[in-house]
């Protein structure tokens, strides 16, 4: 089911760009150093909608990844979108890389926190509550990996993220469906990136309601922060604010549940 739409806002992630058959898999840097899982904490900052895991990547690892990602052949998104699409102006790189997706899932604290096996501070959910939150049994990350760079003046206008049906590789391929967007921020004001915050807009009150318009929910950039937000039918309207200075670097994937 596609997200609700309002005005000229758009679905941002339903259609994935087909990968070139000659595209070479990057030699991604190792995930070192990492902060011990026991020192991390998963936080539900907006119930049922936004979950964060600060310091998934260390400042050093973020710096190493920005240096590496800068060597990839990024493509600039056209300033004039297709009819019905939100305006997005950034540079991006995209590849289907199941091995990297699995490493990002299992080689960091992400898997244990999402599945409830972490030694750090989790959400203390029952198995049933966990499935309800994530939309099913989480089996990994979307192999479709996207890298975004937003330079000064670039932004992503208000939009919704749709879900995708995917097939998870393995000895027996597993049908899956994406339920939450994963954004891993690699830069922040501390690294010279000003602006670029991710802003969520709660649904306005019903027409006859006297309740005030809810305030936008702003997620500030923080290097190493993993931001998870629900997408699909219950996705909140959101945007990536314009970068005022420096560069905003993001690694994007999605949580995948068994279908």
């Amino acid at each position: 089911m596609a997200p609700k739409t309002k005005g000229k806002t758009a679905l941002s992630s339903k259609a994935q760009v087909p990968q070139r058959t000659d595209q070479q898999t990057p030699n991604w840097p190792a995930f070192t150093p990492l902060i011990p899982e026991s020192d991390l904490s998963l936080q539900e900052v907006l119930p049922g909608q936004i979950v964060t895991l600060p310091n998934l990547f260390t400042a050093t690892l973020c710096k190493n990844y920005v240096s590496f990602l800068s060597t990839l052949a990024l493509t600039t998104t056209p300033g004039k979108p297709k009819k019905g699409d939100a305006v997005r102006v950034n540079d991006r790189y995209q590849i289907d890389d199941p091995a990297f997706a699995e490493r990002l899932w299992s080689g960091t604290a992400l898997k244990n926190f999402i599945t409830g096996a972490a030694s750090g501070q989790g959400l203390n959910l029952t198995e049933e509550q966990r499935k309800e939150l994530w939309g099913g049994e989480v089996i990994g990350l979307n192999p479709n990996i996207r890298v975004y760079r937003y330079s000064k003046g670039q932004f992503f206008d208000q939009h919704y993220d749709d879900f995708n049906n995917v097939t998870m590789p393995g000895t027996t391929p597993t049908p899956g469906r994406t339920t939450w967007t994963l954004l891993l921020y690699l830069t922040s004001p501390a690294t010279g990136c000003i602006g670029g915050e991710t802003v969520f807009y709660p649904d306005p009150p019903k027409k006859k309601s006297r309740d005030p318009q809810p305030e936008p929910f702003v997620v500030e950039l923080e290097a190493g922060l993993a931001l998870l937000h629900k997408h699909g039918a219950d996705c909140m309207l959101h945007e990536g604010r314009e970068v005022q200075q420096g560069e905003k670097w993001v690694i994007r994937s999605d949580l995948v549940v068994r279908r």
Side-chain angles (χ1 to χ4, degrees), residues 110-154:
L110 193 59
K111 178 180 180 178
N112 283 348
F113 273 103
I114 298 299
T115 61
S119 58
Q121 186 176 346
L123 299 181
N124 298 318
L125 302 176
T126 65
E127 188 63 28
E128 199 61 35
Q129 289 171 329
R130 194 172 296 111
K131 285 185 176 181
E132 182 178 356
L133 175 65
W134 303 125
E137 178 193 352
V138 183
I139 55 176
L141 294 180
N142 189 349
N144 186 262
I145 302 299
R146 286 135 285 173
V147 173
Y148 302 145
R149 177 182 64 194
Y150 293 84
S151 302
K152 182 178 179 180
Q154 295 186 327

Side-chain angles (χ1 to χ4, degrees), residues 46 101 106 146 166 170 187 202 216:
L46 195 62
S106 300
R146 286 135 285 173
V166 299
T187 51

Side-chain angles (χ1 to χ4, degrees), residues 33-35 40-42 51-66 104 108-110 182-191 219-228 249-251:
L34 291 173
I35 293 176
L40 300 179
S41 175
L42 191 68
V51 173
T52 60
L53 182 55
N55 300 312
L56 181 66
F57 272 21
T58 60
T60 298
L61 184 54
C62 287
K63 184 177 180 180
N64 291 344
Y65 257 80
V66 169
L104 186 57
T108 68
L110 193 59
L182 168 67
L183 300 175
L184 176 57
Y185 299 120
L186 302 177
T187 51
S188 68
T191 66
V219 178
E220 305 286 347
L221 292 190
E222 181 182 326
L225 173 74
L227 166 67
L228 290 150
W249 282 90
V250 184
I251 295 177

Side-chain angles (χ1 to χ4, degrees), residues 168-174:
M168 300 295 280
T171 306
T172 303
T174 305

Side-chain angles (χ1 to χ4, degrees), residues 38-124:
S38 57
D39 293 336
L40 300 179
S41 175
L42 191 68
Q43 303 165 7
E44 191 173 14
V45 295
L46 195 62
Q49 287 287 346
I50 302 175
V51 173
T52 60
L53 182 55
N55 300 312
L56 181 66
F57 272 21
T58 60
T60 298
L61 184 54
C62 287
K63 184 177 180 180
N64 291 344
Y65 257 80
V66 169
S67 295
F68 170 75
L69 298 177
S70 299
T71 68
L72 299 179
L74 278 66
T75 302
T76 301
T77 304
K80 186 176 181 180
K82 295 179 181 179
K83 185 178 180 180
D85 284 352
V87 177
R88 169 169 51 186
V89 186
N90 68 358
D91 303 302
R92 60 185 283 150
Y93 176 87
Q94 183 170 335
I95 190 168
D96 286 319
D97 191 342
F100 180 78
E102 172 58 27
R103 190 150 64 91
L104 186 57
W105 174 241
S106 300
T108 68
L110 193 59
K111 178 180 180 178
N112 283 348
F113 273 103
I114 298 299
T115 61
S119 58
Q121 186 176 346
L123 299 181
N124 298 318

Side-chain angles (χ1 to χ4, degrees), residues 161-216:
D161 290 359
D162 204 354
F163 74 92
N164 282 285
N165 288 325
V166 299
T167 299
M168 300 295 280
T171 306
T172 303
T174 305
R177 173 175 54 86
T178 69
T179 55
W180 286 63
T181 296
L182 168 67
L183 300 175
L184 176 57
Y185 299 120
L186 302 177
T187 51
S188 68
T191 66
C193 179
I194 307 302
E197 302 89 350
T198 304
V199 184
F200 295 86
Y201 297 92
D203 288 339
K206 296 180 180 179
K207 290 183 179 180
K208 295 183 180 180
S209 173
R210 295 183 179 180
D211 293 338
Q213 183 80 13
E215 291 293 322

